[in-house]
Amino acid sequence: MSLPIMGAPDKKQKKLTVYTIEECINCKKPTKREFKDGDLVHKILDKCKDCDNNIMISLIYGEEIKKKKN
Amino acid sequence: MDLIFIIGAGNAQITSNPIINLAIVYLPLALLILYGQKLQTWLITNDLSKTVGRLKEMRDKSRQETIDHITEGIDNKEETIKRLDSFLEYFTIMPVDLDPAGVINKLDHIMTSRDMRMKSEIKQLFPDLDELKANSVENVIEIATSFNFVYKIVRHFYLVGKKTNNFILLAQLQMIIPFLMLQADALNQAMTTFKKNQPVGDAIGPMIVGKLMLQHEKHDIAVDTVYAESDISGRKAILVTAKGPAGTVGQPGNAVQELIQKENPSLLIMIDAALRLEGEKTGEVAEGIGAAIGGIGVDKFKIEEAATNNNIPVYAIVIKQTLVEAISIMTKDIAESVDSVHDIINRIIDERTKPNDKVIIVGVGNTIGVIQ
Ligand SMILES: [Zn+2]
């Protein structure tokens, strides 16, 4: 057996929520929402309300939901 | 001091009754000496049987998920399930490497025929699927096949160890089980991601190069591989990556070979995901030298050979992540490395090339969920 270069398993499995980041290609204002089926990175969506340029999906990523402490 | 205490314990009188002394101290000692290994074997077998059971559950779940995914809206379910079960048993025989000269060509041939066969059979089975869905079906079947393989190997060693009562074999299996479970876990998460066509951690290379390719004309250069030409600080940048948004790694080896022949660039930059070591941070960006590309070695060989023959330096930029992260949904840390890698590319080009030079930039990885 070779040394385990692939690393060790995590003790707790992380629960990730998938988010989609939309960004106007001109004014770069990002909005974050939950992932919908059919979302793809660099997909062109609607026109921007402010400047009439295209809005593009810039990133899709999974993020752990942090529970708020009361 | 401890040693003296243990030696002394042999003579210890726990009670004044010699029979109770015998029962408490010497009898268990004798039993452990005689049957200690049997007991340990039994414990390990028990532990392993639980793990094998869990793997079986995971395998069955992955098979069911695959069936649900590919028979979505299809009438002829029976036939499809039968075909899927034969897919799960597909194997690839590696070429003989006793005489290693030319083994890469054989390997290339075998892997290409395997991909082609898989593609054409899926096309035959589901003629109406669009390219994106066909690719997702192919990926999901591949994951289920890997799952089946991991399960069967573990079960094999478990059964051999149990049948022959081989303590060493069982102990070895128990030692590597956590790492096999790590892979099983990764495959489990990959299934969800690939079904939904979401980008995986490994897609970071194609995503970084794909962003540079936006609004430039794309040309096909090899199977599932595209390139585009752009301008980066006065240099001609030739951008190469697999063709998204379908889940494929393309053939970067063939593409780079051909482009080096055609364009004679002065620099080759490769961007890929790399396995991070425990203690390193996910999404960390590192620079180095050499062909940053994983896989079975065919593409790496082709790129190294073309670069060596034409005396082109190969620069590598890698984004660190774990095995699980590489094949499941891209995490925030990985996704946000895009801009810093773009900065590094610009810096390398400024420092290492002259205006009007040509630079090939390759985004290596599975381009699932990413459009160029
Ligand atoms: Zn705008």
Side-chain angles (χ1 to χ4, degrees), chain A residues 1 8 13 41-42 59 61-62, chain B residues 176 185 207 278 330 369 371:
Chain A
M1 193 187 80
Q13 236 185 58
V41 178
H42 300 151
L59 295 175
Y61 58 70
Chain B
I176 60 164
D185 215 45
M207 204 166 120
E278 282 301 321
M330 184 183 286
I371 301 173

Side-chain angles (χ1 to χ4, degrees), chain A residues 24-29 48-55:
Chain A
C24 164
I25 50 175
N26 185 42
C27 45
K28 308 266 175 202
K29 213 181 91 194
C48 174
K49 276 179 225 146
D50 302 333
C51 66
D52 212 39
N53 272 299
N54 286 325
I55 289 182

Side-chain angles (χ1 to χ4, degrees), chain A residues 1 4-9 13 16 18 35 40-43 56 59-63, chain B residues 176 178-179 182-183 185 198-199 207 211 214 245 277-278 329-332 335 369 371:
Chain A
M1 193 187 80
I5 193 77
M6 65 174 74
Q13 236 185 58
L16 297 177
V18 184
F35 177 87
L40 297 164
V41 178
H42 300 151
K43 187 178 178 180
M56 184 181 76
L59 295 175
I60 293 173
Y61 58 70
E63 196 179 17
Chain B
I176 60 164
F179 306 108
L182 177 81
Q183 286 199 25
D185 215 45
Q198 292 167 340
M207 204 166 120
K211 195 166 179 185
L214 294 171
L277 300 172
E278 282 301 321
I329 176 74
M330 184 183 286
T331 62
K332 193 178 180 204
I371 301 173

